Amino acid sequence: MNNLPDIKNRMKVISDIGKVTGAMETVSIAKMSKALSAFRQNEPYFSKYSSVMSDVVARTKYSMQRYFSKCRGNRAVFLVIGSDKGLVGSFNHDLLKYACNKIEKSSVATVLTIGKCVSDYFAKQKFHFLGNIDNIESKPSLETAEQIAKRLLMFYDENIADKVYLIYNAYGLAGSMKPSIMQLIPFAADDNNVSGYTSELYYESDDEAVLTRLYFSYLTAMIYGCWLQSSVSEHVQRRCAMDTATKNSEELLSELSTEYNRVRQSAVTSELADTARFSE
């Protein structure tokens, strides 16, 4: 049986942990609100850009431009977006399990990451790991997305990779998340997004230059949009994890309080019995 001082000390520790997780939940709610606002503002732009690109490619003769041609081989670069910190429930675990399954299907795979948690994991795996993208803001930014887009294009232009993929946690309805993959390079047209208008497009400037610039904008938009979804999913999962931890601490504290009262009552009863015997 635990003595009263041990139970009391344990209650204090659990109470302190509950205060910390409660504070972390409050912070996560604030960050989730900001991330969700940024995601909703960008969502129409993100959703429309892919359909616009599909439409442009379908209506352009210059469809063999290097970013729109078929894959040259099976050498792939994977950009995996995770979190910098833990305490996010299954956010990183589900993402890494999904990413490894996809990466293993490529004969030659190179991995680039955003987020220290996924970076630490891939640094210990058999895949060719380029490292984590350092010196970036903790929240998604369009400027950083442009820098990442330039780096990914460099891999493809210099014939280091035949395909470039992005793996991230997509944000869904009611705060759900789902590990997802998107082929960034070469462009994978979605026939469902092509309009019924089939006339050919003509460009005032060189068509290759126009398409290259347009594709860079598309690539930046996709990276930024997926990064925003990953950020929202992260904060939602952290809020849920901290809420669960706080509730668990309250339940455990209630159980210990009951145990404390029981042990104290037992001690009082024992003391009264001893006093009665001595008085006889």
Side-chain angles (χ1 to χ4, degrees), residues 219-258:
L219 201 60
T220 301
M222 294 301 103
I223 294 171
Y224 180 61
C226 293
W227 196 359
L228 284 174
Q229 291 191 55
S230 177
S231 178
V232 175
S233 298
E234 176 188 349
H235 293 308
V236 168
Q237 291 298 309
R238 180 172 285 112
R239 187 203 68 79
C240 291
M242 293 302 99
D243 178 61
T244 300
T246 302
K247 289 179 179 178
N248 288 341
S249 68
E250 291 173 350
E251 292 178 2
L252 186 55
L253 197 60
S254 178
E255 292 175 3
L256 287 174
S257 179
T258 301

Side-chain angles (χ1 to χ4, degrees), residues 43-171:
E43 186 177 16
Y45 180 75
F46 175 82
S47 302
K48 190 64 178 177
Y49 220 127
S50 181
S51 62
V52 169
M53 285 299 302
S54 296
D55 206 42
V56 167
V57 173
R59 293 161 54 192
T60 302
K61 274 189 174 182
Y62 197 69
S63 58
M64 294 305 293
Q65 202 264 1
R66 62 184 183 277
Y67 301 131
F68 304 99
S69 59
K70 294 182 179 180
C71 296
R72 301 171 298 200
N74 201 33
R75 298 171 303 165
V77 170
F78 293 85
L79 173 64
V80 184
I81 302 179
S83 68
D84 282 326
K85 300 177 182 179
L87 302 178
V88 285
S90 61
F91 178 85
N92 288 312
H93 176 271
D94 292 349
L95 177 72
L96 290 171
K97 182 179 179 181
Y98 178 85
C100 288
N101 182 51
K102 295 296 182 181
I103 294 172
E104 286 175 350
K105 294 180 180 179
S106 179
S107 59
V108 180
T110 301
V111 180
L112 186 65
T113 60
I114 296 177
K116 191 174 184 302
C117 288
V118 290
S119 171
D120 291 344
Y121 175 82
F122 281 110
K124 302 174 183 178
Q125 302 305 309
K126 60 183 178 180
F127 312 115
H128 180 211
F129 180 54
L130 290 179
N132 192 48
I133 298 178
D134 298 319
N135 301 321
I136 61 175
E137 298 180 5
S138 57
K139 60 181 181 180
S141 70
L142 195 57
E143 293 76 12
T144 306
E146 288 182 347
Q147 297 174 13
I148 297 172
K150 289 179 181 178
R151 188 170 181 180
L152 296 180
L153 284 173
M154 180 270 293
F155 290 137
Y156 192 77
D157 290 340
E158 296 185 3
N159 201 28
I160 298 174
D162 302 312
K163 295 174 286 187
V164 177
Y165 294 97
L166 172 62
I167 299 178
Y168 67 106
N169 276 315
Y171 178 73

Side-chain angles (χ1 to χ4, degrees), residues 191-210:
D191 295 335
N192 295 325
N193 286 330
V194 179
S195 69
Y197 185 71
T198 57
S199 296
E200 184 181 342
L201 290 176
Y202 296 93
Y203 304 94
E204 292 184 1
S205 181
D206 175 67
D207 53 0
E208 182 176 4
V210 172

